[in-house]
Amino acid sequence: MGTINGLDGEMAAFDGQFYQVKGDGSVHIIPDSMKTPYATVHFFEPDQTIRLTTAFQSYADFQNHLDQYLPSRNRPYAFKITGTFDDLKTRSVHKQKQPDPSLVEVIAHQSVFEFKNITGIAVGYWFPDYMEKLTVPGYHLHFVSEDKQHGGHVLNCRFSKATVAIDFINSIKLVIPQDATFHRADFSSYNRAEIEVVKKGTSKTTTIVSLDTADSE
Ligand SMILES: [Zn+2]
């Protein structure tokens, strides 16, 4: 998972395919020519697969439940979650113009999508707190629907049945961008509150699109 150059939406990759969920909510297959300024990817080899039949009322509920399957808080985990969500709320962002605004400014203009009865795959990671300057600590999932029409960064969900595959990660390789913008960037003013905004979004100035996928067929 990650993003695309110019912060042109949310990226999700699984089953050998890379998807771009644009700010208007549309999903596109990412061509080999497209570049990313930030992505976390790996070859998924699940160590554990869980079939959940518990009803979860929220993403927070689901996260609390998932916690018990993580044997240590000091190593990363990758997830592939397949299921039908009674309610799913995702977001994406529109392509940014130069000069690059801060992530928080971008998120302030995010698009939020609300789906009902939507089937698909959510992929992502859980990272430990000590990695917070490199990535988003905690859970972070990106979703793409089974019909490859909808998706985005998961903000909330409600469901009662899903299959969760977990890959326990042992090592990480960090590839550092080699371009002038990155070399000049100032990372000294790190702000944890900003990371929370990136994860959870903000309630102001968002576009909300509601879709009941069961009715649209
Ligand atoms: Zn995201």
Side-chain angles (χ1 to χ4, degrees), residues 1 10 91 140 142 153:
M1 53 182 271
E10 311 273 356
R91 73 108 197 276
H140 187 170
H142 286 185
H153 166 111

Side-chain angles (χ1 to χ4, degrees), residues 26-70:
S26 60
V27 178
H28 306 265
I29 287 177
I30 297 180
D32 290 349
S33 58
M34 210 174 239
K35 294 192 170 180
T36 173
Y38 184 88
T40 310
V41 293
H42 78 293
F43 293 100
F44 191 74
E45 291 169 354
D47 292 292
Q48 193 176 3
T49 299
I50 309 146
R51 280 177 186 83
L52 294 176
T53 49
T54 324
F56 299 103
Q57 295 305 318
S58 68
Y59 193 20
D61 255 15
F62 176 45
Q63 292 182 13
N64 286 339
H65 184 84
L66 268 190
D67 280 350
Q68 68 182 293
Y69 298 104
L70 313 185

